[in-house]
Amino acid sequence: MTKIKKAVIPVAGFGTRFLPVTKAQPKEMLPVVDKPSVQYAVEEAVRAGIKDIILITGNSKRAIEDHFDSNFELEYNLKTKKKTQALKAVQKIAKLANFIYIRQNKALGNGHAILCAKSVIGKEPFVVIWPDDLIDSPQNCIQQMIEVYDQYQSPVIGVLAVTKKEVEKYGIIKNKYITKNVHQVLGVVEKPKLSKAPSNLAILKGYVLTSSVFGILEKLKPGKGGEIWLADAVMKLLKTHSVFACEFKGKIYDVGSKAGWLKANIAYALKHPELKEEIKKFIAKDLKKI
Ligand code: UTP
């Protein structure tokens, strides 16, 4: 059995939902409290045993590379000023994993971004993580997906039960319940009306895929908006492979949208030891006066 060691994190999109802030800086670097959203994805992957993080980057994404590198000048400055805690927080980032950067020279879609990783992945199974999908969960979602892959040796889709209102925003699976947090995927309906939704299990966070997806992506025609979508390739995969879904428990924040990002910041600040009291008071008292 091949152990999953590689994760692909696509970060080359334009982030149009977050303009104008994303004009010259990556949305993946926008902070949730004090860490950029992409760092949450990397840390969760590393805790799940991932060694190689493959970031698919593009124009205006240089800050991501700098973030996961060491910064000698800054470290020297913090050392001299004896800011030990800040120094530790900064130094640990570059040591999290082996970081590999692949440039997607045209943002042709998230499926095309995954295809850019083909030669680095080779024949190994790998994880895909959408850094926009921040799930506040007591469990490690990536580890759960890997465990499902290890058991069934088939591609795995991450899913979460969403409310009736949210069903129309996501790809929704038609499922056959297998056990605990595992379902077999019988089909997918993209952004269905509630009355047409086969379940309330929404596709998000990521996948475990095998190299067979690359052959499909290579032949895939552009879909909605003229982009090459990973979701379309996975739909095709379903015709020839058993695909399983790993159901997460937790609260999803779409940090690639303004409202989702703001909500995530409030929720995470309310759990942050240094901030929670001040933010709680701000919400309970000060906000009421505005
Ligand atoms: P999105 O569908 O959220 O697109 O991409 P986007 O451009 O980032 O954001 P909006 O919708 O315009 O606001 C999902 C993930 O795939 C990456 C994005 O960076 C994001 O992490 N992506 C998307 C690529 O790497 N390349 C692409 O061509 C498109």
Side-chain angles (χ1 to χ4, degrees), residues 1-7 44-51 125-129 140-158 181 206-209 246 248:
M1 194 168 79
T2 321
K3 215 168 156 1
I4 299 185
K5 296 190 300 281
K6 293 184 170 137
E44 189 176 358
V46 169
R47 285 198 302 273
I50 297 293
K51 306 281 179 222
F126 62 102
V127 178
V128 171
I129 308 169
N140 182 318
C141 299
I142 296 164
Q143 189 169 336
Q144 286 185 311
M145 283 201 295
I146 292 175
E147 282 165 6
V148 176
Y149 175 82
D150 285 345
Q151 190 168 356
Y152 296 92
Q153 295 291 301
S154 289
V156 179
I157 297 180
N181 61 338
Y207 299 87
V208 177
L209 294 172
C246 170
F248 310 129

Side-chain angles (χ1 to χ4, degrees), residues 259-278:
W261 179 80
L262 284 164
K263 286 180 199 169
N265 269 286
I266 295 168
Y268 278 65
L270 286 172
K271 293 206 282 185
H272 193 285
E274 279 166 35
L275 302 176
K276 62 181 178 193
E277 289 314 322
E278 190 176 342

Side-chain angles (χ1 to χ4, degrees), residues 123-141:
K123 295 271 171 244
E124 293 174 40
F126 62 102
V127 178
V128 171
I129 308 169
W130 305 126
D132 280 357
D133 291 348
L134 181 63
I135 300 182
D136 187 9
S137 170
Q139 281 107 27
N140 182 318
C141 299

Side-chain angles (χ1 to χ4, degrees), residues 213-227:
V213 78
F214 294 125
I216 299 175
L217 282 167
E218 275 165 340
K219 292 191 206 112
L220 201 65
K221 299 254 174 339
K224 189 171 58 81
E227 291 188 31

Side-chain angles (χ1 to χ4, degrees), residues 10-18 27-28 56 61 104 106-110 112-113 129-132 227 229 256:
V11 293
F14 287 118
T16 48
R17 284 171 299 154
F18 230 128
K27 70 169 171 188
E28 297 81 7
I56 312 298
K61 299 287 177 167
Q104 185 190 18
K106 262 191 192 158
L108 296 177
N110 62 26
H112 178 259
I129 308 169
W130 305 126
D132 280 357
E227 291 188 31
W229 295 92

